[in-house]
Amino acid sequence: MSRYHEIKHRVATTFQRHVGNPLLSRLPNQAILETTGRRSGVARQTPIGGSRVGREFWIVSEFGEKSQYVRNIQADPRVRVRLKGQWHTGTAHLLPDDDPRARLKALPRLNSAAVQAIGTDLLTIRIDLDD
């Protein structure tokens, strides 16, 4: 990762951790991804932007495998997703061969614009929902 991308990643994740995520998590209709911490075993919740298509939920991670929730998925792909106030269980799949820029065109515009603006290593994730 270039020095520029490293700084961009550090600034963005610091902002998300201390400002963005705490605020977004309080919004009743905000989608939330819950993973299991790979070291702690504790549930970790992250506000996400994505779209449900049938029994699948699609998201694009802006920092790919550097994202903490992606690392948690690699350790344990079983997740929960809160959609419109309802929790759903599912299994997450990292799709490195998918075109994340094309995928973003099918996802909510505001989130997609933010992911493209700050993202340095885009990665598509599909969550197969159990219900």
Side-chain angles (χ1 to χ4, degrees), residues 9-78:
H9 175 258
R10 209 174 282 151
V11 169
T13 56
T14 298
F15 175 81
Q16 288 170 335
R17 185 175 298 122
H18 298 289
V19 180
N21 290 356
L23 291 174
L24 289 173
S25 294
R26 291 186 174 100
L27 299 176
N29 286 327
Q30 174 66 48
I32 303 286
L33 173 66
E34 184 178 271
T35 60
T36 301
R38 63 193 174 282
R39 286 184 249 160
S40 68
V42 173
R44 303 292 183 188
Q45 295 183 353
T46 306
I48 54 171
S51 185
R52 183 175 183 164
V53 179
R55 291 181 58 176
E56 298 173 338
F57 188 77
W58 292 85
I59 60 176
V60 174
S61 167
E62 64 265 55
F63 298 116
E65 293 184 13
K66 284 195 78 170
S67 293
Q68 297 301 316
Y69 70 87
V70 171
R71 291 179 179 182
N72 290 343
I73 288 169
Q74 289 173 319
D76 182 357
R78 293 296 298 164

Side-chain angles (χ1 to χ4, degrees), residues 2 57 120:
S2 73
F57 188 77
T120 58

